[in-house]
Amino acid sequence: MPENYVAMFPTPGEAECRAKVERAGPRVSALAEQIRTGAVLEEVPVTLKDRLQSGPVNPLFYALYVRDKGFTVSEECVSCEKCTRRCPLNNIEYADGRPVWKGNCTHCMAYIAGCPTEAIEYKSNSRGRHRHYIGTDE
Ligand code: SF4
């Protein structure tokens, strides 16, 4: 998966994003088929780093960083409401022609990546970072 966490990390350009998604296609299809047929998925080894990231680091990160107060929307917004529809937690309302965040965000970055005019920013962190959206909800 291409890095999409524009709230914190540099992101790859469009060509690299497309290449990564294309490379992952066969593996994703194979896994989908395994799930569809109820096959047992192969176990992936869990490292100490994995345990630390999913254990102590994750709750701390959520408590200190994952919130929606840093999102802003610029005059580039064309009031298409795609961000409202793309939020998996139904956390974005639409009021007076603009998105409004309701305080229940998991930082998935779906709406910021899928905004057709790049009108959404997360503080200054996301500025100038490439956004790649894979969804098919046009
Ligand atoms: S997706 Fe972007 S342009 Fe569309 S309503 Fe949301 S902020 Fe505005």
Side-chain angles (χ1 to χ4, degrees), residues 90-106:
N90 197 23
N91 185 45
I92 304 176
E93 278 178 354
Y94 197 68
D96 298 325
R98 289 287 189 275
V100 179
W101 285 264
K102 298 191 288 184
N104 179 33
C105 182
T106 190

Side-chain angles (χ1 to χ4, degrees), residues 26-78:
R27 178 82 176 123
V28 171
S29 297
L31 286 168
E33 181 63 12
Q34 282 180 281
I35 292 167
R36 191 187 66 75
T37 59
V40 177
L41 300 176
E42 73 185 80
E43 285 206 24
V44 177
V46 179
T47 65
L48 178 62
K49 183 180 165 214
D50 298 332
R51 287 185 200 282
L52 287 173
Q53 285 179 334
S54 297
V57 172
N58 199 38
L60 202 61
F61 180 69
Y62 256 79
L64 296 176
Y65 196 74
V66 178
R67 49 182 59 108
D68 60 15
K69 286 193 175 14
F71 289 106
T72 56
V73 62
S74 75
E75 292 305 311
E76 300 299 311
C77 176
V78 293

